């Protein structure tokens, strides 16, 4: 049983069920969003438009507009692909694992995490698509009977593995997110005054009435989808890691990559969850629902994951030294730690293994602006981690004659900027048209804050 006296209240303010619905749905029922919403949407759409222009240049001219070369064929495209996939892991991992472990505090945060997952996976899918060079032939990686003679998909290709992993993960994440919103869509349908809103949300609610039979099926479906998604959370980033680990390049050919990538993905994703929920809490005054205890719980998880990441970094360095492999030693010590890419390595190490340790202090965990800054620093550090993995191993191969340096062009930077704009646009639309917190789930845990044996106050607006 959840003990609110020990772990903190799940909902502040002693609210009735009707008040919970009213306050969470207030941004949706408001006729016009605030001015900051329009300003943020304008900026994000401008960034997205800049990215679309970069995509047009890439498709019309070719990959030669990027900074990649014969040695470093994977540049910002694959770095950002892995980075976005990592962020997309958080929503499902956050919702599924905490759902299976029956952690009641997840109910205030899981909806935002799931929305973030869907948008981030869409952003990630754009990078391997354009990295193919001829994106109009993308359907060639689909495993289906075709008329192209003996040409078939290469089942040994990491590109095919990525396609299967991304498509499966996107499908299950979107399904889990959407079906979880059906009861809330019905609540909007029943409380909306506009006929258009009633019709639109009524369509998406599938005629939900809230009967006992529907709730039983809803809960059963949630656990079934959750079980499938729990496996995918581990398998998807393990597949992404094998894109690297199946090679024989120094720094890549290692068995630590699958768990290393999965933990790193959850780390960056949880950090982005913090960034998002603190933004929600500040802009929409959701302090009663996203309490200090919720933020504190996520910070504690980040401490643990940060220790694992630091251990993984030190293990890699130790094995490069202990293996007595000249190529591994040269890569780690003469390229990453003290060489051309030393800044990127130490930025990664400090941001991911050192700075999150500040969360050991309760005073840090309770100051939202510090938590917000650290969450952004973690994601910057995770981006540098992907840079270290992708670029450094490719820049220093076995043959010195093949050594090369890499720096992105404005086209690659604009492409990445466009995906950030796409992500922010998706989040803003989520703020405006979808309940930011799962109302039905929040009501189910409200009883744990009540001293009177779980008896809740009722309201005519439930």
């Amino acid at each position: 049983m959840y003990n609110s006296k020990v772990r903190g209240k799940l909902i502040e303010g002693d609210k009735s069920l009707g008040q919970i619905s009213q306050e969470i749905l207030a941004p949706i029922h408001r006729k016009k969003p605030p001015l900051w919403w329009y300003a943020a949407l304008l900026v994000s759409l401008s960034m997205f438009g800049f990215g679309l222009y970069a995509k047009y240049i890439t498709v019309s001219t070719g990959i030669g507009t990027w900074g990649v070369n014969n040695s470093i064929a994977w540049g910002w495209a694959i770095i950002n692909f892995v980075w976005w996939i990592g962020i997309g892991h958080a929503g499902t991992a956050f919702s599924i694992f905490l759902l299976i472990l029956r952690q009641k505090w997840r109910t205030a945060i899981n909806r935002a995490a799931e929305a973030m997952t869907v948008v981030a996976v869409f952003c990630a899918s754009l990078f391997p698509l354009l990295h193919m060079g001829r994106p109009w032939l993308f359907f060639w990686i689909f495993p289906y009977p075709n008329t192209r003679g003996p040409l078939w998909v290469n089942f040994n290709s990491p590109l095919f593995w990525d396609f299967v992993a991304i498509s499966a993960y996107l499908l299950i994440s979107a399904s889990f997110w959407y079906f979880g919103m059906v009861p809330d869509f019905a609540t909007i349908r029943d409380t909306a005054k506009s006929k258009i809103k009633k019709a639109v949300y009524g369509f998406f609610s599938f005629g939900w009435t809230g009967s006992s039979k529907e709730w039983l099926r809803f809960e059963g479906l949630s656990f079934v989808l959750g079980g499938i998604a729990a496996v995918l959370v581990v398998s998807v980033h393990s597949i992404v890691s094998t894109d690297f680990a199946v090679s024989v390049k120094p720094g890549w050919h290692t068995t630590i990559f699958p768990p290393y990538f999965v933990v790193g993905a959850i780390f960056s994703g949880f950090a982005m969850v913090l960034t998002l929920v603190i933004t929600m809490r500040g802009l929409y005054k959701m302090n009663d629902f996203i309490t200090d205890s919720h933020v504190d719980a996520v910070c504690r998880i980040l401490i643990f994951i940060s220790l694992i990441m630091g251990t993984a970094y030190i293990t890699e360095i130790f094995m490069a030294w202990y293996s007595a492999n000249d190529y591994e030693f040269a890569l780690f010590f003469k390229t990453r730690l003290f060489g051309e890419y030393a800044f990127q390595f130490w930025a990664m190490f400090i941001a991911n293994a050192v700075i999150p340790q500040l969360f050991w202090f309760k005073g840090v965990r309770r100051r939202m602006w510090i938590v917000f800054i650290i969450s952004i620093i973690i994601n910057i550090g995770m981006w540098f981690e992907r840079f270290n993995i992708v670029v450094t191993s490719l820049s220093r191969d076995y043959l010195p004659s093949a050594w090369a340096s890499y720096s992105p062009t404005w086209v690659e930077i604009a492409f990445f900027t466009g995906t950030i704009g796409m992500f922010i646009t998706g989040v803003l639309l989520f703020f405006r048209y979808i309940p930011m917190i799962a109302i039905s789930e929040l009501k189910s845990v409200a009883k744990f804050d009540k001293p009177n044996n779980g008896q809740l106050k009722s309201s005519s607006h439930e």
Side-chain angles (χ1 to χ4, degrees):
M1 180 64 69
Y2 185 90
N3 191 335
S4 60
K5 292 182 179 179
V6 175
R7 302 184 63 182
K9 285 191 173 184
L10 295 171
I11 304 173
E12 298 284 355
D14 194 28
K15 299 181 185 298
S16 67
L17 298 181
Q19 286 176 313
I20 292 173
S21 296
Q22 288 174 3
E23 293 186 25
I24 294 176
L25 295 180
I28 298 173
H29 288 323
R30 187 181 297 155
K31 290 185 177 180
K32 291 184 179 180
L35 289 176
W36 66 260
W37 189 90
Y38 287 108
L41 184 64
L42 179 62
V43 172
S44 63
L45 287 176
S46 300
M47 295 168 66
F48 184 49
F50 189 37
L52 286 177
Y53 178 67
K55 294 169 192 174
Y56 166 75
I57 294 295
T58 299
V59 174
S60 61
T61 306
I63 302 297
T65 57
W66 295 0
V68 294
N69 49 58
N70 289 338
S71 296
I72 307 176
W74 287 3
W76 267 39
I78 303 302
I79 294 168
N80 297 324
F81 159 67
V82 181
W83 188 72
W84 278 120
I85 283 290
I87 289 175
H89 259 55
T92 311
F94 191 96
S95 296
I96 301 307
F97 293 141
L98 297 182
L99 172 67
I100 294 172
L101 295 173
R102 301 188 183 279
Q103 294 295 303
K104 305 299 181 183
W105 59 270
R106 63 176 279 279
T107 54
I109 304 176
N110 65 320
R111 175 67 54 76
E114 292 161 14
M116 184 189 74
T117 289
V118 175
V119 180
V121 173
F122 270 117
C123 293
S125 64
L126 297 175
F127 289 100
L129 179 64
L130 263 71
H131 196 267
M132 293 174 66
R134 296 179 175 86
W136 51 87
L137 299 178
F138 72 95
F139 61 91
W140 281 20
I141 61 175
F142 293 2
Y144 69 97
N146 58 73
T147 58
R148 295 190 291 274
L151 184 62
W152 196 254
V153 295
N154 181 6
F155 292 97
N156 294 322
S157 170
L159 185 63
F160 173 69
W161 304 344
D162 286 341
F163 165 73
V164 174
I166 293 172
S167 57
Y169 188 63
L170 179 59
L171 177 63
I172 196 68
S173 298
S175 300
F176 187 78
W177 179 54
Y178 176 76
F179 288 120
M181 293 188 293
V182 169
D184 291 354
F185 284 156
T187 302
I188 300 174
R189 174 200 63 197
D190 296 338
T191 57
K193 297 180 180 178
S194 166
K195 291 183 178 180
I196 296 177
K197 276 188 179 180
K198 283 182 176 291
V200 171
Y201 287 102
F203 174 79
F204 286 110
S205 66
F206 290 155
W208 176 274
T209 60
S211 65
S212 298
K213 182 184 290 186
E214 288 178 340
W215 277 112
L216 286 172
R217 290 176 176 173
F218 174 80
E219 292 176 0
L221 178 64
S222 297
F223 278 96
V224 169
L225 291 177
I228 298 172
V231 177
L232 283 174
V233 166
V234 177
S235 66
V236 168
H237 226 65
S238 297
I239 289 172
V240 173
S241 73
T242 52
D243 291 357
F244 304 90
V246 294
S247 75
V248 294
K249 288 188 176 293
W252 284 5
H253 193 63
T254 172
T255 55
I256 199 176
F257 264 26
Y260 176 32
F261 269 54
V262 171
V263 172
I266 295 174
F267 188 50
S268 61
F270 270 53
M272 186 61 80
V273 167
L274 266 187
T275 305
L276 189 57
V277 298
I278 291 174
T279 303
M280 286 167 45
R281 171 185 161 115
L283 295 176
Y284 288 98
K285 310 301 180 186
M286 293 288 183
N287 302 49
D288 290 343
F289 303 113
I290 304 173
T291 65
D292 290 348
S293 298
H294 289 98
V295 176
D296 187 273
V298 181
C299 290
R300 289 169 184 265
I301 293 174
L302 287 174
I303 293 173
F304 175 65
I305 302 177
S306 174
L307 291 173
I308 298 177
M309 295 302 295
T311 303
Y313 297 151
I314 294 171
T315 301
E316 280 194 309
I317 297 170
F318 172 76
M319 291 307 299
W321 168 76
Y322 187 71
S323 65
N325 185 310
D326 293 337
Y327 301 103
E328 292 283 341
F329 184 90
L331 174 69
F332 277 90
F333 288 89
K334 297 182 180 180
T335 302
R336 291 184 181 175
L337 270 74
F338 309 109
E340 181 181 356
Y341 298 104
F343 171 79
Q344 288 86 341
F345 176 84
W346 290 110
M348 170 196 76
F349 191 90
I350 293 171
N352 296 336
V354 178
I355 292 180
Q357 301 310 311
L358 292 173
F359 286 147
W360 283 104
F361 303 100
K362 185 176 181 180
V364 173
R365 299 196 304 269
R366 295 289 170 164
R367 287 176 171 80
M368 293 300 115
W369 67 273
I370 299 179
V371 175
F372 183 80
I373 292 172
I374 293 177
S375 69
I376 293 175
I377 289 173
I378 289 173
N379 265 306
I380 293 173
M382 290 306 297
W383 188 92
F384 277 117
E385 180 197 286
R386 277 58 182 252
F387 183 95
N388 276 291
I389 291 171
V390 173
V391 173
T392 57
S393 289
L394 291 172
S395 67
R396 296 294 182 268
D397 205 341
Y398 292 102
L399 296 175
S401 60
W403 289 1
S405 296
Y406 166 81
S407 58
T409 64
W410 73 266
V411 178
E412 290 171 286
I413 297 172
F415 187 10
F416 180 48
T417 302
T419 57
I420 294 176
M422 178 180 172
F423 180 80
I424 297 173
T425 300
V427 169
L428 290 171
L429 294 175
F430 163 69
F431 285 166
R432 176 59 179 150
Y433 296 108
I434 295 174
M436 289 175 276
I437 299 174
I439 302 172
S440 57
E441 295 188 37
L442 198 62
K443 289 179 179 180
S444 70
V445 301
K447 63 182 179 181
F448 293 107
D449 291 333
K450 302 293 178 181
N452 54 343
N453 298 321
Q455 298 298 315
L456 287 170
K457 294 186 293 182
S458 186
S459 170
S460 60
H461 298 287
E462 288 176 18

